[in-house]
Amino acid sequence: MIETPYLLFLGDAPDPLAAKVAQGIRDWRPDHALGQLRLDGCKADMRLPDMTIAEAVAAGVKTLVIGVANRGGVISPSWKSVLLEALDAGLDIASGLHNLLRDEADLAEKAKALGRTLHDVRVPSVRYPIANGKKRTGKRVLAVGTDCSVGKMYTGLCIEKAMHARGRKATFRATGQTGILITGDGVPLDAVVADFMAGSIEYLTPDNEPDHWDVIEGQGSLFHASYSGVTMALIHGGQPDALVLCHEPNRPHMRGLPEYKLPSLEDVRDVALRLARVVNPACQVVGVSLNTSALSDDAALALCNATEARLGLPTVDPFRHGADRLAEALETI
Amino acid sequence: MIETPYLLFLGDAPDPLAAKVAQGIRDWRPDHALGQLRLDGCKADMRLPDMTIAEAVAAGVKTLVIGVANRGGVISPSWKSVLLEALDAGLDIASGLHNLLRDEADLAEKAKALGRTLHDVRVPSVRYPIANGKKRTGKRVLAVGTDCSVGKMYTGLCIEKAMHARGRKATFRATGQTGILITGDGVPLDAVVADFMAGSIEYLTPDNEPDHWDVIEGQGSLFHASYSGVTMALIHGGQPDALVLCHEPNRPHMRGLPEYKLPSLEDVRDVALRLARVVNPACQVVGVSLNTSALSDDAALALCNATEARLGLPTVDPFRHGADRLAEALETI
């Protein structure tokens, strides 16, 4: 668990896209983000107060979050003095970069000497159990996609927000690095050892109140040759009561696999539901989430309507239209 | 790659079952097993010449294989003097135990000083790639099961043997610790990090001659809540042209999951084939392998005949009846 609130470190981000982790925290956990720290040449701006390390500490910040990705995921030498200053001033540091904070000797030594925590969310910090498949209390919804990177994390975060707006109990459960930094907790599933994948998701979504929903962040796709095993473990470890189908139209082929066409939403519905019912025979598909970011407002609405008519399921772009209709559908379960 | 031939170390095996790794090597790679080494009280016997370390070296042995599992998978103190003597005499050591040879300081130091190799096949020794899903040459058959431990490894080894007997090119590809020790090579799939599972199987079964079959050892089951992700990665990474369905009758519930009934062979056929065709649209189910070890000869034959009539697929217990009919079925692909 990463201590909040955060100072978002944007470094020398070459463009706004490089700061997508910071943007995610800003969008989804604005209460966690008290300020930003930018170096010379930074091209990203979260429209938060610019703070020095000392100002952040005075404002109550507990953790500096590296909200920017360099090319290659490395920890840039130009960042080092800021990171060392943060540790000196009493802050922990959290990072989702491939290169780990703990592998930087100067950071590791100082953190150890001062009793600070370096959170490398890229790698698991827990010894997860083997899944036992036992029925859990509370309810769980999982986003499953036609492909990787079709908007499963945003769908989950939108559903959580819509459920809260409707006065429902819901917790987004992060399974990827960005999601973990946004919420401060979760399982970096793609880095978990095979035998413990499903168990890590059981660990992440334990027994809960009967009217509480865990909204589990989806990963990969059952139809993606590289990552389908991860998706499978999410379905069986997550023991979902409900599935939401996620899709991005206009995609020419599966991400990173030029030889592979996307499956239809019907394919995903049928295969994911069949497998989900192994662990929860009552599981249902409750809605469709389309990522229409490449479409006009009119085209987005038309596509949602056509998809809804075709599948007979509430269909929205939750980031554009809100996820209220998906949250409403979950109330019938 | 573990150097052959082997001396099979049986230690102080409390019963024959504890030496199942040694038994597997004895059954499937008899040419690799020149002798056995037993300590006082050993209750297992491979009916191989008993050898001292010195005799084994004189006979040409290259590697001492720990063919026995202690309770807890530990490296017993009573084994240590033999293992150290083996290193001194010029042998490598191979082990599939949970506790690693490399974590024993005395073994690690001596191996390093003498230039010997400690093979801990429980953990990967390769940085596997992310799967790319590209069509590979050669053919591949994968065993998929209704459950874990229903005989998928033995089915694969029997198919390899039957194909060789028919003059066909075939290579058993191990994906588990016992299989790796039997063949001297393979991928310990259950210990691979999630993102690299499918890629590790592509690595294990690369392009090959058009008439060569890789016989891929199956793991887990798509219907096993704990391990289905591993099975999924095998199906997509393996890109199989053919599937063989494996089942053990008389099993009251899924292994380790008392709440879960086994799926039918039809369930496994339909779901596994649907998913396999994502990466290989021509994939077919070619036969059924039943583990009838708990049945009489008559009952075993009757069950195979009934299953064959029901599914319309060649059905054998390959360990009891041979796998010739499965090998024959593969020739039609």
Side-chain angles (χ1 to χ4, degrees):
Chain A
M1 199 84 187
I2 304 168
E3 275 201 88
T4 57
Y6 300 153
L7 174 66
L8 302 183
F9 177 74
L10 307 185
D12 44 1
D15 54 55
L17 207 64
K20 73 171 192 171
V21 166
Q23 190 66 53
I25 296 170
R26 177 78 174 96
D27 286 345
W28 295 106
R29 291 295 184 270
D31 293 351
H32 288 180
L34 295 194
Q36 63 186 11
L37 194 159
R38 300 186 288 171
L39 301 180
D40 285 349
C42 180
K43 300 286 198 305
D45 183 2
M46 297 300 124
R47 299 176 191 281
L48 290 168
D50 284 295
M51 291 182 177
T52 63
I53 295 292
E55 288 166 350
V57 171
V61 162
K62 300 293 184 198
T63 303
L64 179 147
V65 175
I66 297 185
V68 58
N70 267 340
R71 205 177 290 272
V74 299
I75 294 158
S76 160
S78 71
W79 300 357
K80 269 295 176 63
S81 62
V82 178
L83 302 184
L84 290 166
E85 186 191 345
L87 294 173
D88 272 323
L91 302 184
D92 293 339
I93 306 178
S95 160
L97 299 176
H98 268 289
N99 284 37
L100 304 184
L101 297 168
R102 71 184 68 164
D103 291 340
E104 302 288 312
D106 45 0
L107 295 178
E109 271 166 38
K110 192 176 279 288
K112 189 173 177 195
L114 299 173
R116 314 284 181 250
T117 303
L118 301 176
H119 297 278
D120 285 305
V121 306
R122 178 70 52 179
V123 291
S125 55
V126 170
R127 279 182 70 106
Y128 301 113
I130 300 268
N132 63 33
K134 287 190 195 302
K135 181 72 184 164
R136 307 201 286 290
T137 54
K139 291 180 184 281
R140 289 161 301 280
V141 54
L142 172 68
V144 290
T146 51
D147 194 2
C148 301
S149 308
V150 293
K152 292 186 290 289
M153 185 185 81
Y154 268 61
T155 298
L157 287 161
C158 287
I159 290 173
E160 182 199 44
K161 185 179 174 184
M163 294 183 85
H164 287 170
R166 296 173 71 91
R168 303 282 165 176
K169 298 174 193 162
T171 308
F172 176 79
R173 299 295 189 182
T175 62
Q177 284 78 15
T178 303
I180 294 170
L181 288 172
I182 290 175
T183 62
D185 202 5
V187 167
L189 183 58
D190 62 9
V192 172
V193 165
D195 252 3
F196 304 95
M197 292 186 300
S200 75
I201 303 304
E202 291 187 349
Y203 172 93
L204 181 68
T205 60
D207 283 329
N208 213 316
E209 297 167 75
D211 59 345
H212 177 277
W213 282 86
D214 274 335
V215 183
I216 307 173
E217 182 187 356
Q219 295 292 339
S221 166
L222 286 173
F223 291 81
H224 195 292
S226 314
Y227 306 117
S228 54
V230 177
T231 312
M232 182 74 261
L234 265 170
I235 291 175
H236 281 172
Q239 204 177 90
D241 299 276
L243 299 173
V244 173
L245 311 178
C246 298
H247 180 57
E248 207 258 270
N250 309 335
R251 192 169 282 209
H253 58 73
M254 295 293 279
R255 187 175 169 87
L257 304 177
E259 292 89 352
Y260 288 81
K261 288 207 164 56
L262 268 71
S264 68
L265 283 161
E266 287 87 343
D267 288 334
V268 176
R269 175 194 65 195
D270 294 346
V271 174
L273 196 58
R274 176 74 188 82
L275 288 163
R277 285 182 172 166
V278 169
V279 292
N280 186 350
C283 185
Q284 294 181 42
V285 175
V286 296
V288 179
S289 167
L290 298 179
N291 176 349
T292 63
S293 51
L295 302 182
S296 70
D297 282 349
D298 285 352
L301 201 60
L303 182 68
C304 287
N305 289 341
T307 306
E308 178 150 350
R310 198 178 94 214
L311 277 94
L313 291 166
T315 302
V316 296
D317 179 333
F319 199 59
R320 194 165 202 155
H321 310 128
D324 191 59
R325 295 190 59 219
L326 300 177
E328 186 183 33
L330 290 172
E331 290 175 12
T332 66
I333 302 263
Chain B
M1 199 84 189
I2 304 168
E3 275 202 87
T4 56
Y6 300 154
L7 174 67
L8 302 183
F9 178 74
L10 307 185
D12 44 1
D15 53 56
L17 207 63
K20 74 170 190 169
V21 166
Q23 190 65 52
I25 297 170
R26 177 79 172 96
D27 286 345
W28 295 105
R29 292 293 184 271
D31 293 351
H32 288 180
L34 296 193
Q36 63 186 11
L37 193 158
R38 300 185 289 172
L39 301 180
D40 284 348
C42 180
K43 299 287 198 305
D45 183 1
M46 299 299 123
R47 298 173 194 281
L48 289 168
D50 284 294
M51 291 182 176
T52 63
I53 295 290
E55 287 165 349
V57 170
V61 162
K62 301 293 184 196
T63 303
L64 178 146
V65 175
I66 297 185
V68 59
N70 267 340
R71 206 178 290 268
V74 299
I75 294 156
S76 160
S78 70
W79 299 357
K80 268 296 178 61
S81 62
V82 178
L83 302 184
L84 291 166
E85 185 191 345
L87 293 173
D88 272 323
L91 302 184
D92 293 339
I93 306 178
S95 161
L97 298 176
H98 268 289
N99 285 36
L100 305 184
L101 297 168
R102 69 185 68 162
D103 291 340
E104 303 288 313
D106 45 0
L107 295 178
E109 271 166 37
K110 192 177 279 287
K112 189 173 177 195
L114 298 173
R116 313 284 181 249
T117 303
L118 301 177
H119 297 279
D120 284 304
V121 306
R122 177 70 51 179
V123 291
S125 56
V126 170
R127 281 182 69 104
Y128 300 114
I130 301 269
N132 64 32
K134 287 190 195 301
K135 181 72 183 161
R136 307 200 286 291
T137 53
K139 290 178 184 283
R140 289 161 301 279
V141 55
L142 172 68
V144 290
T146 52
D147 194 1
C148 300
S149 309
V150 293
K152 291 185 290 290
M153 184 183 82
Y154 268 61
T155 298
L157 288 161
C158 287
I159 290 174
E160 182 199 44
K161 184 178 173 185
M163 293 183 87
H164 286 170
R166 297 173 70 90
R168 302 281 165 177
K169 298 173 193 162
T171 308
F172 176 79
R173 299 295 189 184
T175 63
Q177 284 77 16
T178 303
I180 295 171
L181 288 171
I182 290 174
T183 61
D185 202 4
V187 167
L189 184 57
D190 62 9
V192 173
V193 165
D195 252 3
F196 304 96
M197 293 187 299
S200 75
I201 303 305
E202 292 189 348
Y203 172 93
L204 180 68
T205 60
D207 283 328
N208 213 317
E209 297 168 77
D211 59 343
H212 176 277
W213 281 87
D214 273 335
V215 184
I216 307 173
E217 181 187 356
Q219 295 292 339
S221 166
L222 286 173
F223 292 81
H224 196 291
S226 314
Y227 306 117
S228 53
V230 177
T231 312
M232 183 73 262
L234 265 170
I235 291 175
H236 281 173
Q239 204 178 88
D241 299 276
L243 299 173
V244 172
L245 310 178
C246 297
H247 180 57
E248 207 259 269
N250 309 335
R251 192 170 282 208
H253 58 72
M254 295 292 280
R255 187 173 170 88
L257 305 177
E259 292 88 353
Y260 288 82
K261 288 209 163 56
L262 268 69
S264 68
L265 283 162
E266 286 86 343
D267 288 334
V268 177
R269 175 194 65 194
D270 294 345
V271 175
L273 196 59
R274 177 74 188 82
L275 288 163
R277 286 184 172 166
V278 170
V279 292
N280 187 349
C283 185
Q284 294 180 43
V285 176
V286 296
V288 179
S289 167
L290 297 178
N291 177 348
T292 64
S293 51
L295 302 181
S296 71
D297 282 348
D298 285 351
L301 201 58
L303 182 69
C304 287
N305 289 340
T307 306
E308 178 150 349
R310 199 178 94 214
L311 277 94
L313 291 166
T315 302
V316 296
D317 179 334
F319 199 60
R320 195 164 201 157
H321 310 129
D324 191 59
R325 294 190 59 220
L326 300 177
E328 186 182 34
L330 289 173
E331 292 175 10
T332 67
I333 301 265

